[in-house]
């Protein structure tokens, strides 16, 4: 069972000070607007250049570590719209860590200077901030650094004991969830799940490199481009690599062969959103994932794995992108399509017997 974290007097006093200056009732002019949030990284050529994550500490399965793995100590702030955040949610489900690590789901819409907000709407799967009682995620960042003026991003792994952000880089958080919390997995089967096995690490890293630059971030390079040249270059690179992935998945069940790994998780979160929003909203419209027989069947197979459907929320995905990115979609009108059946038989289990 999760432990109750007892705060020291020093941490309690710090929290009282933070609550006294909490700016969560109104937008903070020191923080970026929604448009700045998405476009401040564009260079002079109109190319979107992703900014590195800020907080990079690591939870270890070592009681002597600065951040030791403990049940009930850590909290994840995620968005169901965000592919980067949903990598971590995927791991929570696949590793059986729901009871060891709590989570809060932010509202799907970013607007004005608010950044991600906590607006509990149970029917839409939006949560309150049950850990710090804040209204905006930026206030969690400002707890850590009152002068912080960078990008407010999800996911955030937060330490409830020290009241500190541990990490906001999804690629590092999933590595922690994969190996450092094994003592707290629900079952032995969950504990044995290893998405980054030592014998496949070189292959996983190679696929991660291709997928990150050209697919995960490739759709953003296309969607947030502010010049025709930058847009066309990004789209060509994206589909060149989707073609490579389609060819690979015609020969192997998963990217590295017969075993499902981290590389597949990192690809899946983009594929699951591709036809929903990237084709139209980000103008990645040369082809749909549905037009790739192997990529589409592969996407359906992963979506049908136990617990994973819960990590793909169509409402959050469609409304976040199309209502938040008003520099891309000024009217904020949300498209009604496409018709997708993630539950259709995928056939990859029989194809690769």
């Amino acid at each position: 069972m999760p432990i109750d974290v007892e705060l020291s007097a020093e941490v309690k006093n710090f929290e009282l000070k933070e609550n006294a200056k909490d700016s969560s009732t109104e937008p903070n002019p020191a923080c970026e607007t929604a448009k700045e949030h998405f476009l401040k990284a564009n260079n002079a050529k109109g190319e979107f250049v992703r900014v590195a994550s800020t907080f990079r500490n690591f939870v270890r399965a070592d009681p002597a570590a600065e951040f030791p793995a403990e049940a009930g100590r850590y909290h994840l702030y995620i968005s169901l719209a965000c592919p980067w955040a949903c990598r971590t949610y995927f791991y929570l489900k696949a590793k059986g860590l729901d009871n060891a690590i709590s989570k809060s789901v932010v509202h799907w819409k970013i607007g004005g200077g608010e950044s991600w907000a906590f607006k509990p709407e149970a029917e839409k799967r939006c949560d309150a901030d049950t850990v710090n009682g804040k209204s905006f995620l930026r206030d969690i960042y400002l707890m850590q650094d009152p002068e912080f003026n960078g990008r407010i991003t999800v996911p955030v792994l937060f330490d409830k004991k020290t009241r500190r952000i541990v990490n906001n880089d999804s690629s590092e958080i999933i590595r922690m969830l994969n190996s450092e919390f094994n003592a707290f997995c629900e079952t032995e089967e969950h504990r044995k799940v290893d998405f980054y096995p030592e014998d496949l690490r070189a292959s996983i890293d190679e696929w991660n490199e291709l997928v990150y630059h050209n697919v995960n971030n490739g759709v953003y390079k296309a969607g947030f481009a502010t010049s025709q040249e930058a847009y066309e270059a990004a789209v060509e690179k994206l589909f060149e690599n989707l073609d490579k992935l389609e060819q690979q998945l015609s020969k192997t069940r998963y990217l590295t062969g017969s075993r499902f790994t981290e590389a597949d998780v990192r690809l899946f979160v983009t594929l699951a959103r591709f036809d929903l929003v990237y084709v139209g909203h980000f103008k990645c419209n040369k082809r749909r994932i549905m037009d790739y027989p192997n990529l589409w069947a592969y996407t359906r197979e992963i979506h049908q794995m136990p617990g994973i459907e819960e990590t793909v929320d169509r409402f959050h995905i469609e409304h976040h992108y199309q209502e938040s990115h008003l520099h891309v979609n000024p009217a904020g009108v949300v498209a009604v399509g496409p018709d997708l059946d993630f539950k259709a038989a995928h056939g990859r289990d029989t194809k690769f017997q």
Side-chain angles (χ1 to χ4, degrees):
M1 294 292 291
I3 62 171
D4 291 321
V5 177
E6 185 174 347
L7 302 180
S8 66
E10 180 182 357
V11 172
K12 286 179 179 177
N13 288 336
F14 174 77
E15 184 180 16
L16 289 173
K17 291 178 183 178
E18 287 302 312
N19 286 338
K21 66 180 182 181
D22 182 5
S23 61
S24 63
T25 57
E26 59 184 73
N28 184 343
C31 291
E32 60 206 6
T33 65
K35 185 171 182 178
E36 290 168 341
H37 176 90
F38 296 112
L39 288 185
K40 70 183 295 183
N42 282 51
N43 63 21
K45 295 180 180 179
E47 299 167 332
F48 176 72
V49 181
R50 189 169 294 278
V51 178
S53 300
T54 306
F55 302 101
R56 309 297 285 271
N57 289 308
F58 213 88
V59 175
R60 303 283 183 188
D62 177 359
E66 180 181 9
F67 295 100
E70 298 174 10
R73 176 167 174 166
Y74 299 96
H75 188 79
L76 264 176
Y77 291 103
I78 65 170
S79 162
L80 295 178
C82 173
W84 317 96
C86 283
R87 292 174 174 183
T88 65
Y89 192 18
F90 190 114
Y91 272 66
L92 276 190
K93 305 302 292 185
K95 290 288 293 183
L97 291 170
D98 297 78
N99 294 324
I101 301 171
S102 55
K103 74 176 190 306
S104 294
V105 176
V106 296
H107 196 272
W108 66 85
K109 186 175 181 180
I110 295 177
E114 294 181 354
S115 83
W116 298 102
F118 299 101
K119 299 178 182 178
E121 295 185 46
E123 73 280 7
K124 300 299 185 188
R125 301 178 70 195
C126 301
D127 298 328
D129 176 12
T130 56
V131 173
N132 294 295
K134 304 298 185 182
S135 295
F136 300 107
L137 186 62
R138 60 171 161 76
D139 291 307
I140 310 300
Y141 279 73
L142 292 172
M143 282 174 57
Q144 181 95 357
D145 178 4
E147 304 302 319
F148 186 84
N149 65 353
R151 297 188 68 230
I152 309 299
T153 62
V154 283
V156 170
L157 183 63
F158 186 82
D159 180 4
K160 292 185 277 189
K161 186 173 185 178
T162 63
R163 286 298 200 260
R164 291 173 60 191
I165 294 174
V166 179
N167 198 295
N168 69 337
D169 184 277
S170 65
S171 66
E172 295 178 354
I173 294 173
I174 62 175
R175 293 277 173 90
M176 299 178 218
L177 299 180
N178 183 63
S179 60
E180 304 303 317
F181 288 88
N182 281 342
F184 312 108
C185 295
E186 275 185 37
T187 67
E188 184 62 28
E189 184 179 357
H190 286 121
R191 193 171 294 113
K192 289 178 179 177
V193 171
D194 183 2
F195 293 131
Y196 196 55
E198 191 168 353
D199 62 317
L200 291 178
R201 288 181 183 178
S203 180
I204 292 168
D205 291 344
E206 186 178 345
W207 282 113
N208 284 349
E209 188 75 5
L210 180 150
V211 169
Y212 170 75
H213 290 290
N214 302 297
V215 181
N216 296 149
N217 204 33
V219 294
Y220 287 89
K221 291 177 183 178
F224 289 160
T226 53
S227 73
Q228 189 69 31
E229 182 182 10
Y231 161 71
E232 290 186 9
V235 168
E236 287 303 317
K237 203 71 175 174
L238 168 64
F239 283 95
E240 173 188 322
N241 283 279
L242 285 175
D243 291 345
K244 289 180 183 177
L245 292 162
E246 171 70 9
Q247 183 179 19
Q248 176 67 21
L249 292 169
S250 71
K251 298 179 291 187
T252 60
R253 186 169 181 178
Y254 305 116
L255 287 178
T256 62
S258 61
R259 282 183 281 172
F260 184 82
T261 70
E262 176 190 295
D264 300 295
V265 177
R266 290 170 59 138
L267 175 58
F268 168 75
V269 293
T270 297
L271 297 182
R273 289 158 175 75
F274 201 94
D275 290 2
L276 291 176
V277 287
Y278 300 147
V279 169
H281 183 64
F282 276 176
K283 299 183 284 293
C284 300
N285 56 4
K286 287 187 71 174
R287 284 178 294 282
R288 305 167 301 170
I289 297 304
M290 286 192 293
D291 299 324
Y292 290 98
N294 291 288
L295 277 170
W296 178 224
Y298 166 86
T299 303
R300 298 199 309 276
E301 179 185 4
I302 299 173
H303 190 276
Q304 292 169 27
M305 290 178 177
I308 302 311
E309 180 179 5
E310 189 177 329
T311 72
V312 182
D313 190 298
R314 179 167 182 161
F315 183 91
H316 278 243
I317 292 166
E318 293 182 324
H319 285 259
H320 163 69
Y321 282 91
Q322 295 173 89
E323 289 189 47
S324 298
H325 303 167
L326 297 183
H327 58 291
V328 176
N329 182 38
V333 174
V334 179
V336 298
D339 294 328
L340 295 178
D341 185 4
F342 285 107
K343 296 181 180 180
H346 55 79
R348 291 185 68 77
D349 49 349
T350 56
K351 179 175 180 178
F352 294 102
Q353 284 182 336

